[in-house]
Each structure stands twice: as structure tokens, then as C-alpha cells.
Amino acid sequence: MKRIRLKKKIKIKNSIVILFLLFISLLMAFKFINSKVNPVLLDYANMEARKLSSIIINDAISKNFKSINVDDLFIITKEGSEIKSLDFNPIIVNQVLTNTTTLIQTNLKYLEQGKIELLNLNTDALIDYNTDKLRQGIIYEIPSGVIFGNSFLANIGPKIPVRFSIVGDIISYVNSNVKDYGINNALIEVNVVLELSIQVILPFVTDKISIETSIPVALKLIQGNVPNYYLNGIQNSPSIAVPFN
């Protein structure tokens, strides 16, 4: 009886030691993943999220600004033939900014939810993406082999899905750059600036990234005496309630 009890005690002690070693191994594995693996995966995921966001932004700006006459964007004040001041037309600019911001936020929400059939995009905008995966809300799949940092191993292993979620409202506004052009002339470049935040989601980690992009949309040449330029940026950060079923 004593031998049986002794064997049982030894087995229990061995089991405890094994469990303890397993626990330590798991902790070390999680530490390795957090310090080495996750940063590599997040770099890939963030890059793809920025790339897809840029496609959506550029498409929306192209749609909303292509039909705008450049002269309609400005209000010019003259004294005789001399231009005294120049400013943005707030009605036109705010309307275009609102339409652009709404379209970007709507398309990003549809992508987040996998409703690609509802996207208002040019037909070839997502030609490089797997539509079946997009319908599942997956914008990209990272081969797990990239964590080894070796080009021969980069495409091996299971694929890690990347999802994203837009965070908060999109802020949009216009600004301008005024440059000397020849003698007594000025060239005005009008840019649309957009700021948004996206939550990038991987199976074991998430990351919030901020995206700010400035896209030139119009050029205006002012000839003669250079006026006093006001051209204050018009900012638009609407809270957009888009119904999704």
C-alpha cells in the first residue's frame, strides 16, 4: 500500500512539474509573438489598410471634382481690371466636400461589412482584390511565412485574415498653395485634405492607424497684379448617419 501511495505522489508531482513547464512555455511563446510576430503582421496589415483606403478616397474625389469648373471654386473681387482678393466659394466647396466625405465613409462601411455589391466605385477599382474574401469583410490575407523575414518562406503557412473598421468621422477640408509663376503672375494649387482613423483587426491583435492625405484637385493661374490672398481652408467634419441593413 505504501508503494502504491508513493507512486501516486510521484505521478502527481510529475504532472504538476509538466503543467508548470507547459505554462512557462506558453508564456514565452506569447511573449515571442507579441514582441516579434505581431509587429511584422501589423506592418503588413497597416500597409494594406492604407492602400485600400487610398483607392476609396481617390475614387470619391475623382467622382465629385471631375464635373466642377475650377472657376466656380473661387470668388474673385476686382477693382476695375485689378484683382484685389480671392477666396474659396463656400457653397460649392462645402457641397463637394460633404458629397466626397459621405461617399468615402459609406464605401468604407460597406467594405467593412462585406457588402461590396453596394459599393459606389469605378468598375476596376478593386480589380486586384479577391471579391469572395471582401464579401467576408477580409481585405487581405497575410501569409504567416512573412514572420521569418525570408523571401523563400514568405508564401508558406496558413493565411492570416486582415479586417478593418472605420473609427469616428472623416474630417475633410481644402487648402491652397500659392506659387510665383513667371513675372507678376501666381499659380494657385487647391488641395483636398482628408483625415480619418481606421482600426486594423488581426486574429490576435488590433491597431489603430491615422490616415491623412492631401490630393491636388485644381490649378488656377492669376495674371497681372498679385492680389491679397485669403483662401481660408473650409473644413467639413460631418457626423454621417448611413443606414445599413
Side-chain angles (χ1 to χ4, degrees), residues 7-224:
K7 287 181 180 180
K8 286 183 178 181
K9 288 181 179 180
I10 292 173
K11 286 182 179 180
I12 292 172
K13 288 182 179 179
N14 288 340
S15 298
I16 293 173
V17 171
I18 292 171
L19 289 173
F20 178 75
L21 291 175
L22 285 173
F23 178 73
I24 295 298
S25 299
L26 286 173
L27 285 179
M28 293 179 66
F30 280 121
K31 185 177 180 180
F32 174 78
I33 290 173
N34 284 329
S35 61
K36 301 293 183 181
V37 176
N38 284 342
V40 174
L41 296 179
L42 281 174
D43 283 343
Y44 276 86
N46 291 346
M47 181 176 62
E48 288 301 322
R50 291 180 186 277
K51 177 182 174 182
L52 186 56
S53 298
S54 295
I55 292 173
I56 301 298
I57 290 169
N58 288 328
D59 185 86
I61 289 177
S62 174
K63 278 188 172 70
N64 285 284
F65 278 87
K66 68 180 180 180
S67 60
I68 299 297
N69 188 325
V70 174
D71 292 332
D72 292 338
L73 294 175
F74 302 99
I75 296 176
I76 300 174
T77 303
K78 294 183 178 181
E79 285 187 6
S81 60
E82 182 180 350
I83 297 175
K84 300 300 292 183
S85 66
L86 185 88
D87 204 349
F88 289 128
N89 185 328
I91 297 175
I92 298 295
V93 172
N94 273 323
Q95 180 183 356
V96 176
L97 281 180
T98 299
N99 293 340
T100 302
T101 305
T102 302
L103 182 57
I104 293 170
Q105 188 150 355
T106 301
N107 281 335
L108 287 174
K109 278 292 183 183
Y110 282 145
L111 273 176
E112 178 186 337
Q113 298 174 358
K115 298 178 179 179
I116 62 172
E117 67 280 356
L118 300 178
L119 293 174
N120 183 5
L121 291 173
N122 291 325
T123 53
D124 59 345
L126 301 177
I127 193 171
D128 295 328
Y129 289 85
N130 186 322
T131 54
D132 291 333
K133 295 299 180 182
L134 290 177
R135 287 189 177 92
Q136 302 173 37
I138 299 172
I139 64 169
Y140 187 69
E141 286 186 317
I142 306 172
S144 53
V146 300
I147 64 176
F148 299 109
N150 187 307
S151 58
F152 293 103
L153 303 176
N155 291 318
I156 67 170
K159 307 289 186 181
I160 300 170
V162 179
R163 303 173 186 271
F164 78 97
S165 176
I166 186 169
V167 180
D169 294 329
I170 298 173
I171 297 174
S172 61
Y173 56 94
V174 294
N175 64 16
S176 63
N177 294 318
V178 182
K179 301 176 182 178
D180 292 334
Y181 189 82
I183 301 174
N184 206 30
N185 297 325
L187 184 66
I188 304 172
E189 181 183 74
V190 180
N191 303 290
V192 173
V193 181
L194 291 121
E195 301 172 6
L196 62 150
S197 296
I198 289 178
Q199 191 79 25
V200 179
I201 304 167
L202 296 174
F204 303 108
V205 65
T206 65
D207 189 26
K208 182 179 178 181
I209 61 172
S210 296
I211 298 174
E212 180 176 344
T213 182
S214 178
I215 301 173
V217 294
L219 289 173
K220 174 79 173 173
L221 179 64
I222 301 296
Q223 297 177 319

